[in-house]
Amino acid sequence: MDSRRESSETLRNKCAACYRQYNRMDHLVEHMKVNYHSVHEPRCGVCGKHCRSFESLREHLIGPLPKVECARVFAVRGCSICLNIFDSTATVRYHRAACQYTRAAPMPRGSITGRAVALACKMVGGGSDGSVDLCARVCLIGEDENIIFQTYVKPAAPVTNYRYEVTGIRPEYLRDAMPLKAAQRRIQEILCNGEPLWKLRPRSYGRAKILVGHGLDHDLERLGLEYPAFMIRDTAKYPPLLKTSKLSNSLKYLTQTYLGYDIQTGIQDPYEDCVAAMRLYIRMRSQHRRDYNSGSGEAQNNYPAWRQRELERMSPEELLALSASDYYCWCLDY
């Protein structure tokens, strides 16, 4: 009976990344063609399994039905914030002091430092029922968390709901606020940093800044701004930060889970949202070594149909070596 079981297992072909098993090699090849496994995926520090997102890895380690051996090791030597495994319990204790952030304190204005700028807005309501979002406050910070630009914005349409319980904005704050057009020009100047917008190209954007934030499509739309997609790092869309259903997590959840502190507990400050998004970006950017050259965001997997027979003779490890990420990993921003 045992020998039959072992014989059956040897006939199965196991993916070197996610460990799914297939009875036929051609099925494994098809699996590799569509899954885009790569070094950029979150991985379990115990068994080495690749996961599509940090939510998947979290379920693997500390979910309702975790991998038993991995969960046992993680409970002793794992960090529940970054999900890494360490050599000893003493190392974990030392690491956690640096891994868990504290709530951001407002910082003074400063010059632009680093390649990235984080942006966040707070919206008041317009329209007859107050449901139309109008930007009334905007903040930009640099990688050092110093404020580059912060202002109340006078919406172009009448405000019918100030949403004070969330925004803390009163009518008098907007009476002499910066006009929306002036705010647009200033933000554009900061982001482009002297580079013509039409000249920006992937991997060749000179002094222009990478734009970081959460739900940036909505913020840019409400500000009436356009910025190249390849210059945007949105924590609401980054695949490793998505739910297992591939839907977005809230910034509040991401901050509590991956930075270790709470935000948006009362009146919301756009500076606090900027800091949370920037910290998440820097943490994700630092996940891998800087010398990785795959994962440009384009389908690069080298699995053409004419190589089918050759592919079926390869080992699972060789197939994995041909695979590449189907999203741009932020570690490539270094």
Side-chain angles (χ1 to χ4, degrees):
M1 182 69 176
D2 288 340
S3 63
R4 286 200 300 272
R5 185 181 298 112
E6 291 175 1
S7 175
S8 175
E9 288 297 319
T10 59
L11 293 175
R12 301 175 73 84
N13 300 282
K14 187 177 183 179
C15 174
C18 68
Y19 302 156
R20 290 188 64 178
Q21 293 184 333
Y22 298 88
N23 288 322
R24 293 173 51 180
M25 189 62 183
D26 58 324
H27 292 167
L28 174 58
V29 172
E30 292 305 311
H31 162 81
M32 297 302 293
K33 286 180 180 180
V34 300
N35 277 274
Y36 299 97
H37 291 304
S38 81
V39 292
H40 299 286
E41 291 178 314
R43 295 179 64 187
C44 173
V46 182
C47 69
K49 179 181 177 180
H50 291 232
C51 297
R52 293 300 291 173
S53 68
F54 282 100
E55 285 292 295
S56 298
L57 178 57
R58 188 173 293 277
E59 290 187 2
H60 173 81
L61 292 169
I62 50 179
L65 295 171
K67 182 72 175 296
V68 175
E69 177 59 21
C70 297
R72 184 187 65 78
V73 174
F74 185 82
V76 178
R77 297 191 280 116
C79 173
S80 59
I81 297 175
C82 67
L83 303 181
N84 287 321
I85 308 289
F86 296 87
D87 295 334
S88 67
T89 54
T91 307
V92 173
R93 286 195 299 272
Y94 177 80
H95 160 82
R96 281 175 180 161
C99 192
Q100 182 168 353
Y101 285 87
T102 57
R103 194 181 185 96
M107 296 288 289
R109 292 178 184 271
S111 58
I112 303 176
T113 58
R115 299 178 64 184
V117 169
L119 176 147
C121 300
K122 288 303 168 188
M123 308 291 175
V124 292
S128 59
D129 59 355
S131 63
V132 178
D133 285 342
L134 303 172
C135 179
R137 194 177 177 192
V138 64
C139 179
L140 283 87
I141 68 167
E143 290 189 26
D144 58 2
E145 300 181 9
N146 281 343
I147 295 171
I148 301 167
F149 175 66
Q150 181 171 236
T151 185
Y152 288 103
V153 178
K154 190 171 186 176
V159 178
T160 55
N161 183 356
Y162 286 88
R163 305 174 183 174
Y164 176 77
E165 295 79 6
V166 175
T167 66
I169 296 174
R170 298 183 184 275
E172 56 266 29
Y173 298 171
L174 304 184
R175 198 164 292 140
D176 298 315
M178 179 179 283
L180 179 59
K181 291 291 185 183
Q184 288 173 349
R185 287 193 297 270
R186 181 69 184 118
I187 295 168
Q188 198 79 61
E189 288 171 2
I190 292 169
L191 294 179
C192 292
N193 198 27
E195 294 285 348
L197 192 61
W198 60 271
K199 277 190 174 181
L200 303 185
R201 298 288 185 275
R203 300 301 203 121
S204 178
Y205 39 84
R207 298 184 303 275
K209 298 297 179 180
I210 292 170
L211 178 59
V212 176
H214 188 86
L216 282 169
D217 286 349
H218 182 251
D219 285 349
L220 292 174
E221 180 187 1
R222 296 297 91 192
L223 286 165
L225 291 173
E226 292 185 0
Y227 206 56
F230 59 82
M231 298 288 290
I232 292 175
R233 308 290 181 262
D234 195 332
T235 56
K237 290 184 173 182
Y238 190 47
L241 291 176
L242 297 180
K243 298 178 182 179
T244 54
S245 60
K246 299 185 179 180
L247 297 175
S248 298
N249 279 301
S250 68
L251 182 60
K252 181 181 178 74
Y253 171 83
L254 293 175
T255 303
Q256 199 282 327
T257 304
Y258 298 106
L259 299 178
Y261 70 98
D262 293 317
I263 62 170
Q264 300 176 353
T265 54
I267 290 177
Q268 298 177 14
D269 187 340
Y271 172 76
E272 189 175 57
D273 290 356
C274 281
V275 170
M278 182 63 81
R279 289 173 175 177
L280 284 165
Y281 166 70
I282 291 174
R283 175 151 286 181
M284 293 299 106
R285 189 178 68 181
S286 305
Q287 285 292 318
H288 312 107
R289 297 195 310 272
R290 302 182 186 187
D291 58 348
Y292 287 158
N293 56 14
S294 63
S296 68
E298 298 178 357
Q300 301 178 30
N301 294 16
N302 191 19
Y303 298 126
W306 60 267
R307 293 189 68 182
Q308 186 69 20
R309 290 188 178 180
E310 177 190 354
L311 295 171
E312 290 176 13
R313 290 194 294 269
M314 289 183 177
S315 68
E317 290 74 20
E318 289 171 328
L319 289 174
L320 178 58
L322 295 177
S323 191
S325 174
D326 59 347
Y327 64 88
Y328 180 89
C329 183
W330 291 349
C331 76
L332 299 172
D333 285 344
Y334 273 116

